[in-house]
Amino acid sequence: IILHNTVVKVGDGFMVGSDPTYVKFRNNLTIGGHGGGNFGHFGTGRGMAVNFPNVFETTDSDYNGFGVVGMPFEGIIGRQRIESLDDIRRLTPEKHAVQVDMNIFAANPAFPAPPFPAREPADLRLAAGSVAVDAGQVIPNVNDDYNGKAPDLGAYEQGQDLPIYGPRPQGVDEETQWNAMQKTRK
């Protein structure tokens, strides 16, 4: 189950290289693009919007956002060559997919190409009115606290505070963070 991820990277944005047989993808946001290639033993792909060649009947994928930077919009889903968002909607179960680009982000982050040197993490919160806002599917007990008409695509719901992952600043424990998040959602 792969839900509410935001991926912005060189190479293929939505790349699934293994053979997942029972997988559910919902409300993800992926942008790939130029600057991909091989880095040691790791390959990023050439920069397609989606590269998912081993789709099975048990793969359930919809309500995702796909995009590219510096490349034509193209991809592979199953045995189907994709050249547009219309192809994705016509040839796959992705009937509610949206096409995105870097303009969906409020902070106007730069696309991370070339992939080196390392950069500070980008602010990938959505801009008001972008196509990714309210474009997701409600998933009970996962995204019930959405703002607007429907959940947003990606990792961050517009209008909510950024979560703190990993070590917390001094004086902020899990209970304090939880209580603060509950106040902003009311």
Side-chain angles (χ1 to χ4, degrees):
I1 298 175
I2 300 172
L3 312 170
H4 285 287
N5 292 283
T6 299
V7 177
V8 177
K9 69 181 209 48
V10 297
D12 301 336
F14 187 80
M15 182 177 184
V16 182
S18 62
D19 293 339
T21 52
Y22 292 94
V23 182
K24 183 174 192 134
F25 297 99
R26 285 290 188 280
N27 302 345
N28 297 291
L29 183 60
T30 63
I31 299 176
H34 63 82
N38 292 324
F39 303 94
H41 295 289
F42 178 70
T44 63
R46 31 179 255 253
M48 295 187 289
V50 58
N51 185 355
F52 193 1
N54 299 320
V55 174
F56 297 95
E57 296 80 28
T58 56
T59 301
D60 183 5
S61 184
D62 200 2
Y63 292 90
N64 295 296
F66 303 99
V68 293
V69 170
M71 304 283 295
F73 189 96
E74 63 180 359
I76 297 169
I77 300 179
R79 296 180 186 198
Q80 302 292 328
R81 179 131 175 86
I82 304 299
E83 295 180 353
S84 68
L85 181 66
D86 288 337
D87 284 352
I88 289 177
R89 289 180 178 156
R90 185 172 47 82
L91 299 170
T92 75
E94 286 278 353
K95 303 306 180 207
H96 302 93
V98 295
Q99 187 168 342
V100 297
D101 59 28
M102 295 298 289
N103 293 323
I104 64 169
F105 301 115
N108 297 318
F111 186 73
F116 299 104
R119 299 165 178 77
E120 289 295 315
D123 183 345
L124 299 177
R125 288 178 282 183
L126 298 174
S130 79
V131 297
V133 172
D134 295 343
Q137 182 180 44
V138 175
I139 304 167
N141 299 316
V142 172
N143 59 14
D144 297 326
D145 60 344
Y146 63 88
N147 297 324
K149 298 176 188 172
D152 298 340
L153 299 184
Y156 308 117
E157 181 71 20
Q158 189 182 46
Q160 294 182 2
D161 291 336
L162 285 177
I164 299 173
Y165 299 109
R168 285 149 177 77
Q170 192 168 14
V172 176
D173 59 19
E174 289 181 23
E175 183 176 352
T176 302
Q177 182 185 0
W178 175 258
N179 291 335
M181 286 181 0
Q182 295 309 309
K183 287 179 186 175
T184 63
R185 292 178 178 168
K186 292 182 181 181

